[in-house]
Amino acid sequence: MRRAISRSRSCAIGVALVWCVLVSPGLATASIADPAAFLEQTEALRTKDHSRFVERLRQVRREGPSLSTPQQWHLRYLDAWETMFEGDYSRSEAQLRDIIGHSGDVTLAAKASALLLSNLGANRRYDEAFALANHLVDDLPRIDDPLARSMVLMNLSQMFNLAGQTDLAIQYAGMMESAVPPGETLCYPFSMRAAALNNTGRLTSSSPELTKAIDACVTAGQPILANTMWLVLGDRFIDEGQPRKTLALLERIEPSIRASDYYAHLLSSQVQRARANEKLGNVEGARKAALAALAMGDDTEMNEWMRDAYGVLYRIEKGQGHASAALSYYERYVAQDKGYLDDITARDVAFELSRQHLLAQKLETERLARQNSVLRLQKALETKAVETSRLYIVLLLLFLASVVFWLLRTKRSQLRFKKLSWHDGLTGIFNRQHFMNEAERILRSLEKRTGDACLVFIDLDHFKQINDTHGHAMGDLVLKHAVAICGQQLRPGDVFGRLGGEEFGMLLVGCPGERGMLVADHIRMAIEASPVIEEGCVVSFSTSVGLAATGTCGYELQRLCREADMALYKAKRAGRNRVMADTSGSLAES
């Protein structure tokens, strides 16, 4: 879970870096005597002085100078940048693809590709984003312009950081550092390196990488990037048990955050203030900051800041005995938690798929190369003497056998990856997405013949305490142990999957509600009676179970999930280590 949160925070850091795309100091207003120079100066103002950047674009159109074809494409690129900055991703994508496909300018196409990569990542179109990233990696040796190359390297570092490929992200940040464009500073490569290290939890408040990034960005006069790094430092203070330092830091940088009016920083600073005050026991201060953060956002947003804000409010209300309010906040907390975990999973799957696709393309290229070699060999065979023809035929057959071997290997690898994409990497059971797909398919089939089924949600009690006390390795053993016990109670036709963290789901097929309660209670008792014993350490644990039956809730998966989830929350509130069923029918507690 800690790694997932870091991954999501790194995504937010990447967004800040996207909008600070390699800019130079502001320039004085100028007439358009030289359109090419005017456009270059205008491009340098994009984020240093955005209002003047927009005014200069208007000036180009208003004065209507005669632009050459390259200058017209340059203007279209600046228009696409502004369109994306305003949030119109769809229109900016069309503009960028037009520049990439038709401008004929290698440098401009590289800049547009880097910007398109950010566009796709911001819209969570990870399959296309990683495909474009692979293409840019291949094109990188042919990009000579220092600024365009630096933009591509920065976006590649950001994209691989989103996929959890920290070593690659650091590698591209290092390439940026070794080839800083003239007039630029080390702010960007240092920030990308710090973001990648933060992704893996290897960054602390005293890490020299973080200190260097802050100093470089402050010196370069890059307030948004500097504030991004300051906020990373604030997170580290909280995680290291120094909330007072976080509050002092927020007071110092608040004027700069408000001056830049950057949404992510405004939201992040409020959430940090809420978390720090909660650590210090300042309940009112924590509540005020968390509510302020929620007022900025939207319930449809899925990010770690909204999640943390709901988490703070849930713990406050729970501590004060306000059960109804605590439940409401907890439900929103869970929705946020699942939302951004699903997004992280989508990134990982997209990256693996793009890597497999790239591998398949390379193998296909090798196959075609081998086929060409075969044709050359066949032509050579025609000119050879009879006494040597048999030898060449044998060699040819061996070569063809190797091609078939590689093709079979590739196919087997693809089938294996497809199977892995359905299963949870730790426990081996279905992952959340495949479990939901299978459950919905079975429910549709049961509805046609009015069959029975029960949806069961299982959550391990006090699992965080097990991790904190015995370590994550023991936590993994507990999860595997619980899955093994559950599997012993299930029939071949039942569906079993991990929904996320310590929560699991079961669809008991052909099982009415009363029978489902018995099965769920057998599982609960079996887990309670079977502690994990590892190297002399005995870890006992229990489960809370929520159940919803088709006989009372119908066959709609969404409703069954909602009812089972509510029943699970009731089991938690009732003291844990129990089975609760939905309240739509006559089922009760076990």
Side-chain angles (χ1 to χ4, degrees), residues 115-313:
L115 194 57
L116 178 59
L117 185 60
S118 299
N119 186 318
L120 296 172
N123 282 280
R124 302 181 180 180
R125 292 163 60 185
Y126 300 123
D127 291 342
E128 298 173 68
F130 287 122
L132 177 57
N134 290 330
H135 179 71
L136 286 174
V137 168
D138 291 337
D139 283 350
L140 196 58
R142 295 186 289 275
I143 301 175
D144 298 325
D145 182 78
L147 183 59
R149 182 179 178 83
S150 188
M151 288 177 64
V152 171
L153 288 171
M154 183 181 71
N155 281 278
L156 287 173
S157 178
Q158 172 201 335
M159 189 55 59
F160 287 122
N161 194 23
L162 286 180
Q165 303 300 310
T166 309
D167 292 339
L168 280 175
I170 293 175
Q171 174 186 334
Y172 286 115
M175 293 172 67
M176 286 179 65
E177 182 179 346
S178 62
V180 177
E184 300 300 333
T185 70
L186 292 170
C187 171
Y188 297 97
F190 283 177
S191 298
M192 296 305 302
R193 183 186 297 274
L197 292 173
N198 189 54
N199 185 15
T200 58
R202 288 152 56 188
L203 203 66
T204 68
S205 61
S206 59
S207 294
E209 293 86 357
L210 181 56
T211 303
K212 288 165 63 177
I214 292 173
D215 292 343
C217 293
V218 170
T219 302
Q222 291 286 356
I224 295 181
L225 275 176
N227 289 339
T228 299
M229 294 296 103
W230 284 122
L231 289 170
V232 170
L233 178 60
D235 272 331
R236 299 287 69 76
F237 281 148
I238 293 175
D239 291 342
E240 294 168 10
Q242 304 179 75
R244 294 187 189 279
K245 288 188 177 181
T246 297
L247 292 176
L249 174 63
L250 290 174
E251 289 300 316
R252 189 165 75 249
I253 66 174
E254 182 177 8
S256 176
I257 289 176
R258 294 196 177 279
S260 63
D261 197 32
Y262 181 48
Y263 169 72
H265 290 170
L266 293 170
L267 184 59
S268 176
S269 63
Q270 287 293 350
V271 173
Q272 280 194 18
R273 188 171 280 107
R275 292 175 63 210
N277 277 302
E278 182 190 19
K279 292 278 187 182
L280 294 171
N282 182 0
V283 173
E284 289 308 314
R287 177 187 281 114
K288 180 180 178 181
L291 289 174
L294 295 181
M296 293 181 193
D298 185 332
D299 284 341
T300 60
E301 289 186 58
M302 291 292 174
N303 58 54
E304 84 286 0
W305 297 309
M306 300 289 283
R307 183 201 73 99
D308 287 349
Y310 282 124
V312 168
L313 292 171

Side-chain angles (χ1 to χ4, degrees), residues 6 28 45 64 70 113 192 202 228 238 255 285 291 305 332 337 350 453 463 477 521 546 563:
S6 296
L45 288 169
S113 296
M192 296 305 302
R202 288 152 56 188
T228 299
I238 293 175
L291 289 174
W305 297 309
R332 297 178 186 178
D337 191 47
F463 183 75
L477 289 176
D521 200 50
E563 293 292 340

Side-chain angles (χ1 to χ4, degrees), residues 328-377:
S328 176
Y329 285 128
Y330 183 74
E331 289 174 346
R332 297 178 186 178
Y333 167 83
V334 169
Q336 289 285 334
D337 191 47
K338 290 180 179 178
Y340 82 74
L341 283 177
D342 287 345
D343 184 57
I344 291 170
T345 301
R347 285 183 233 153
D348 291 340
V349 171
F351 176 76
E352 290 299 330
L353 285 173
S354 70
R355 189 166 61 177
Q356 288 293 323
H357 180 67
L358 184 62
L359 175 61
Q361 285 183 325
K362 290 182 178 178
L363 290 175
E364 177 67 13
T365 301
E366 292 175 4
R367 186 182 70 83
L368 292 175
R370 290 189 179 103
Q371 286 182 343
N372 289 334
S373 297
V374 170
L375 293 175
R376 287 194 295 269
L377 284 173

Side-chain angles (χ1 to χ4, degrees), residues 24 66 137 152 241 254 276-277 321 375 386 400 402 477 488 491 500 504 530 543 556:
S24 304
S66 178
V137 168
V152 171
E254 182 177 8
N277 277 302
L375 293 175
V386 175
L400 290 174
S402 70
L477 289 176
Q488 294 170 1
R491 299 162 300 169
F504 303 89
S530 303
T543 63
E556 183 183 0

